[in-house]
Amino acid sequence: MTEVAMGDQDAYRKVYRALLGPVFGIVLRVLRDPAQSEEVTQEVMLEVWQRAARYRPERGAVVPWVMTMAHRRAVDRVRRAQSAAAREERAAAHEHTTAFDEVAEAVEDRLEHERLRRCLTALTGLQRQSLTLAYYRGLTYQEVADLVHAPLSTVKTRMRDGLVRLRDCLGVHP
């Protein structure tokens, strides 16, 4: 490794040939995918060349040092894959939740409209007519009064009473 650290390519070839099989074996046991294992093995062997100067013989033999790098690199690959899968699951769940929220909102709107229709039928005919003209057709009090041939004060009273009954029926509290 000392020679490899000094840039000796022949020494690196020897180390490469000696360690390629064991490195591939440990990486394959972790990844269980031959194509990815080959890729990670190449990354490890490149790392051996690049980090040869960091190797310290007093801390242990070359093979365990390289095998530790290989194992760590393989585990990192597995973690990255799991992290990516988790991100995709979260994104898919978020998209699904959004669709559910839209459906839930549509259902809620429909139920609210049904409650309003039911409460409108509980009003007197004159109250319902006045409120419908004002809120659904956008007429003013005076326009409603002119259309139903009633005094303005009568229309205002009908609408006020109708709104109070609607509020009570819908369970809205001021």
Side-chain angles (χ1 to χ4, degrees), residues 109-121:
D109 286 348
R110 181 154 184 121
L111 290 173
E112 191 173 303
H113 283 98
E114 290 299 321
R115 281 181 46 210
L116 180 59
R117 282 191 197 110
R118 188 182 71 246
C119 289
L120 279 171
T121 60

Side-chain angles (χ1 to χ4, degrees), residues 1-2 52-62 64-65:
M1 282 304 288
T2 305
R54 293 184 183 175
Y55 170 70
R56 299 288 176 253
E58 64 274 5
R59 296 182 79 193
V62 172
W65 180 67

Side-chain angles (χ1 to χ4, degrees), residues 69-102:
M69 286 192 313
H71 186 263
R72 286 181 182 162
R73 182 70 68 128
V75 169
D76 286 346
R77 177 68 65 101
V78 169
R79 288 180 180 154
R80 274 195 306 271
Q82 288 173 340
S83 179
R87 277 192 306 275
E88 289 174 12
E89 282 182 30
R90 284 192 303 272
H94 177 68
E95 289 173 12
H96 180 70
T97 302
T98 302
F100 173 76
D101 289 345
E102 290 170 6

Side-chain angles (χ1 to χ4, degrees), residues 17 30 49 54 76 101 113 132 139 143 148 164 167:
R17 286 185 190 126
V30 173
W49 172 256
R54 293 184 183 175
D76 286 346
D101 289 345
H113 283 98
T132 302
L139 302 180
E143 291 170 331
V148 297
V164 168
R167 181 192 67 202

Side-chain angles (χ1 to χ4, degrees), residues 39 42 64 82 96 101 106-107 136-138 141 163 172:
E39 187 177 314
Q42 288 302 315
Q82 288 173 340
H96 180 70
D101 289 345
V107 169
Y136 289 108
R137 291 193 42 201
Y141 286 122
L163 287 173
V172 177

Side-chain angles (χ1 to χ4, degrees), residues 4-174:
V4 174
M6 292 189 301
D8 186 337
Q9 292 182 2
D10 288 331
Y12 178 70
R13 273 190 209 97
K14 290 177 187 173
V15 170
Y16 186 92
R17 286 185 190 126
L19 295 176
L20 186 63
V23 168
F24 180 76
I26 195 167
V27 171
L28 183 61
R29 276 195 300 273
V30 173
L31 295 179
R32 296 187 181 132
D33 177 359
Q36 281 193 40
S37 298
E38 288 175 5
E39 187 177 314
V40 171
T41 298
Q42 288 302 315
E43 291 172 6
V44 170
M45 296 312 294
L46 178 62
E47 189 175 1
V48 168
W49 172 256
Q50 293 171 336
R51 293 184 170 207
R54 293 184 183 175
Y55 170 70
R56 299 288 176 253
E58 64 274 5
R59 296 182 79 193
V62 172
V63 174
W65 180 67
V66 174
M67 291 302 156
T68 299
M69 286 192 313
H71 186 263
R72 286 181 182 162
R73 182 70 68 128
V75 169
D76 286 346
R77 177 68 65 101
V78 169
R79 288 180 180 154
R80 274 195 306 271
Q82 288 173 340
S83 179
R87 277 192 306 275
E88 289 174 12
E89 282 182 30
R90 284 192 303 272
H94 177 68
E95 289 173 12
H96 180 70
T97 302
T98 302
F100 173 76
D101 289 345
E102 290 170 6
V103 170
E105 192 173 308
V107 169
E108 189 175 307
D109 286 348
R110 181 154 184 121
L111 290 173
E112 191 173 303
H113 283 98
E114 290 299 321
R115 281 181 46 210
L116 180 59
R117 282 191 197 110
R118 188 182 71 246
C119 289
L120 279 171
T121 60
L123 300 178
T124 67
L126 296 173
Q127 289 172 336
R128 184 174 44 259
Q129 180 187 32
S130 298
L131 287 173
T132 302
L133 290 171
Y135 287 95
Y136 289 108
R137 291 193 42 201
L139 302 180
T140 64
Y141 286 122
Q142 186 61 57
E143 291 170 331
V144 172
D146 292 343
L147 198 62
V148 297
H149 308 292
L152 180 60
S153 59
T154 303
V155 168
K156 287 182 176 182
T157 301
R158 284 181 193 163
M159 290 178 69
R160 185 195 72 232
D161 293 346
L163 287 173
V164 168
R165 289 180 70 184
L166 276 177
R167 181 192 67 202
D168 292 343
C169 179
L170 292 171
V172 177
H173 302 289

